[in-house]
Amino acid sequence: PISGVYNGFKAIEPRQAGNEFDLWNEDCSTPMSKLEDVTDDVIDGHLGEVRLGRPSIRKRVKNLVEGGHYDLASIKCRNVSSKNDGKECILICCECLSSKSNTMHTVYAVFEDKDDGKYILDASSCSCKKGEYFCSHSIGFLYVTRLIQVHSLAAVKLYYRVSPKLVQSNLVLIENALLGDKFKQQNSRRKRQRID
């Protein structure tokens, strides 16, 4: 897969708080449960009136979430701080397969590190071309965050249907790829011999 190019650490930097989230941690249930409830109103507030009226954004987000484009096994979090004001935050990352191409994007969702911590749009981003703004990958991940807040990460992982394209986008060992090529070559040779 091709990775996006936007740098998610443009507006944030790693932070040491003396806990298990000083380094990347895959157990994000605790920090996600203490965040503000990510509701439609929260997302609509960040979308703004101009983009809110565009049904194509909602449709694209719905397709991403329902189509299984988020790799829940890639969710991880760590302590960060905002470069703008030094605010203590928690960064939650997740990989998302683009709905238009075989491109993996990393969504960087930044929240205040406190009870009912709010989503910080200015510090959040995505590795896609529009990642500096509020793209459909980021919006979709907020809906996934809400699912995890309501049901727990383990339950969502258990029932979330992953897109076959996401599975196909995972890297394979070169030996497996060569074996497939060798098989194709043998089949082609047999077909040519039958024709001759």
Side-chain angles (χ1 to χ4, degrees), residues 21-38:
F21 301 107
D22 286 344
L23 300 173
W24 287 112
N25 192 328
E26 294 178 1
D27 182 19
C28 298
S29 295
T30 304
M32 290 177 100
S33 66
K34 73 178 192 174
L35 303 175
E36 73 173 331
D37 289 341
V38 181

Side-chain angles (χ1 to χ4, degrees), residues 174-188:
I174 191 72
E175 292 88 5
N176 293 344
L178 292 176
L179 185 63
D181 286 345
K182 187 175 181 181
F183 180 73
K184 287 178 186 176
Q185 288 172 356
Q186 289 173 348
N187 278 347
S188 297

Side-chain angles (χ1 to χ4, degrees), residues 11-19 21-22 31 34-36 78-92 109-121 123-124:
I12 55 175
E13 58 191 2
R15 172 178 63 93
Q16 299 295 312
N19 61 27
F21 301 107
D22 286 344
K34 73 178 192 174
L35 303 175
E36 73 173 331
R78 71 164 299 148
N79 295 321
V80 294
S81 60
S82 169
K83 287 183 180 177
N84 294 339
D85 56 10
K87 188 181 290 186
E88 294 183 351
C89 305
I90 190 88
L91 167 66
I92 303 171
V110 180
F111 293 85
E112 296 172 332
D113 189 13
K114 62 181 184 179
D115 289 338
D116 287 328
K118 303 216 176 300
Y119 177 70
I120 305 174
L121 178 62
S124 300

Side-chain angles (χ1 to χ4, degrees), residues 148-178:
I148 293 167
Q149 287 178 326
V150 171
H151 301 288
S152 85
L153 181 57
V156 174
K157 279 183 179 179
L158 187 63
Y159 294 108
Y160 186 72
R161 184 180 54 84
V162 176
S163 168
K165 289 181 181 179
L166 184 64
V167 175
Q168 292 169 358
S169 72
N170 289 334
L171 297 175
V172 295
L173 293 173
I174 191 72
E175 292 88 5
N176 293 344
L178 292 176

